[in-house]
Amino acid sequence: MNTPVEPAVFEQPMARPSKPVKRKGKGRTYVLLFMAWTLLIALGGLGAKMYTDHLRQQIAQQIAAQTDQQLQAVQEDYKKQLDQLKESVGGDLAKMQTKIDALNELLAFTKDSANSKTDNSNQLYTQLNEVKKKLDDLKKNLDVLQ
């Protein structure tokens, strides 16, 4: 048995570029980071929406309060003007009534003292009718205001 004894030499292959070794944990890390970023973005969007809704509600309440104050001021001013108008119309009506009464007395006197030659009573009747029409118009306007 003559076999030559030669030492076993392991041949190493020539240097090849090595491929990166894939690890299962590295892929999971990317997925977890992606999910974390997605969660942060979603929470940021939700927080922004909630904050804008809160601001919108506050602004709406402030505008409603300002509008109520302005409406109250306008109503008070309107009531003051209406009261002044009622007082002035009432005073005008009282003056017109005194004038009508004076014309009625003058008309009655003229009618009593009129003879067949003079016809001034027709003019007084005409004036009296005009004054009555104006008085009726003023009364209508006062009723509309009330």
Side-chain angles (χ1 to χ4, degrees):
M1 296 211 234
N2 277 342
T3 56
V5 176
E6 290 181 26
V9 177
F10 292 106
E11 290 184 24
Q12 291 182 344
M14 289 190 181
R16 292 190 319 194
S18 63
K19 292 182 181 176
V21 178
K22 292 184 180 179
R23 297 181 193 164
K24 291 183 179 179
K26 195 172 185 181
R28 289 182 182 166
T29 303
Y30 286 130
V31 170
L32 289 175
L33 284 175
F34 178 73
M35 290 176 64
W37 277 107
T38 305
L39 180 64
L40 285 174
I41 291 171
L43 288 175
L46 180 63
K49 180 172 179 2
M50 289 173 60
Y51 182 67
T52 54
D53 288 344
H54 174 70
L55 287 178
R56 186 178 296 143
Q57 185 180 15
Q58 280 183 340
I59 290 171
Q61 288 174 350
Q62 290 173 355
I63 289 174
Q66 289 175 355
T67 304
D68 288 342
Q69 289 174 353
Q70 291 174 350
L71 283 176
Q72 288 176 355
V74 168
Q75 284 178 343
E76 289 174 4
D77 186 42
Y78 177 74
K79 285 180 182 179
K80 286 179 186 177
Q81 290 178 355
L82 189 61
D83 290 340
Q84 289 174 351
L85 186 60
K86 284 180 183 178
E87 289 175 8
S88 68
V89 169
D92 290 345
L93 283 176
K95 288 178 185 177
M96 291 293 284
Q97 188 63 42
T98 56
K99 287 181 181 180
I100 288 173
D101 291 340
L103 280 174
N104 279 337
E105 289 176 10
L106 182 61
L107 185 60
F109 174 75
T110 306
K111 192 176 184 181
D112 290 342
S113 63
N115 58 23
S116 60
K117 293 181 183 178
T118 60
D119 197 16
N120 291 333
S121 61
N122 287 338
Q123 293 175 356
L124 290 177
Y125 278 120
T126 304
Q127 289 177 358
L128 181 61
N129 286 334
E130 289 175 6
V131 171
K132 283 184 180 181
K133 287 178 184 178
K134 288 181 182 179
L135 180 63
D136 289 338
D137 289 341
L138 284 174
K139 285 181 182 178
K140 288 178 184 177
N141 288 337
L142 183 60
D143 288 340
V144 168
L145 289 175
Q146 292 177 354

